Amino acid sequence: MPFTPFHFGPGALLHAVAPRQVSFLSFCAANVLIDLESLYNLVHDRHPVHAFLHTYVGATIVIVAMAVVFLLARALARRARLQHLWRWRPLGLRQVFLGAALGAYSHVVLDSVMHGDIEPLQPFAASNALWSAIPLSALHMACLASGLVALMVMATRWFVMGGDDEG
């Protein structure tokens, strides 16, 4: 995926379907964190571009890191006046963890289909069985369509509930 935005469509749909269970914020943050590694590798001409964080082991570390950052931010928010951007304060650890897990693991799956340099099962196996499993145009359309469906679900909920959508 070209630096993350297509990943947000499936995340938006997961959040739209289960807003009280899945944090879209942590879903997106996990995706961005994973792609920061690729950005670093591109800027420094390192190969493979999609390296450790694009494995299930690396993604698991990202999930744990997201949960730790959330807990630290929550503790710091009690002592300092941290901004309440994107309504993060009422999120529970379960929502954050689930959003990060869905974001990180779906990122590995989607990028495994798209990029031949990913070995998602490292250090256990040096292969990528998903590479080119479906055409890139179908992958992009599925991600875009899931984002559009999410917008429709959220808009419907907003109109039905009078503008009170869950985080």
Side-chain angles (χ1 to χ4, degrees):
M1 295 291 144
F3 275 95
T4 310
F6 277 101
H7 291 279
F8 295 164
L13 184 56
L14 289 167
H15 174 73
V17 170
R20 293 182 181 172
Q21 286 77 33
V22 178
S23 166
F24 184 59
L25 178 60
S26 66
F27 182 98
C28 293
N31 275 282
V32 170
L33 184 57
I34 288 172
D35 269 347
L36 286 177
E37 175 193 44
S38 297
L39 176 61
Y40 178 86
N41 289 339
L42 282 170
V43 167
H44 291 91
D45 198 30
R46 292 180 57 177
H47 297 281
V49 171
H50 301 88
F52 179 68
L53 295 182
H54 281 83
T55 67
Y56 293 107
V57 172
T60 301
I61 292 171
V62 167
I63 296 162
V64 172
M66 294 303 309
V68 168
V69 166
F70 172 73
L71 290 172
L72 290 172
R74 184 189 286 174
L76 186 60
R78 289 187 197 123
R79 297 185 186 128
R81 292 186 148 198
L82 293 182
Q83 292 289 324
H84 187 52
L85 299 174
W86 303 296
R87 301 188 310 179
W88 68 274
R89 287 187 186 152
L91 292 173
L93 181 58
R94 183 176 183 277
Q95 287 172 290
V96 170
F97 190 84
L98 188 55
L102 291 168
Y105 292 141
S106 70
H107 191 108
V108 174
V109 169
L110 293 172
D111 276 10
S112 291
V113 172
M114 185 166 188
H115 301 288
D117 66 341
I118 293 177
E119 296 176 345
L121 300 175
Q122 280 288 2
F124 308 107
S127 64
N128 181 355
L130 294 177
W131 186 43
S132 297
I134 62 171
L136 292 182
S137 59
L139 181 65
H140 288 142
M141 289 305 295
C143 289
L144 183 60
S146 62
L148 293 173
V149 170
L151 288 174
M152 290 187 295
V153 169
M154 288 186 283
T156 300
R157 184 180 297 120
W158 190 81
F159 285 114
V160 169
M161 299 177 78
D164 185 24
D165 191 17
E166 286 292 324

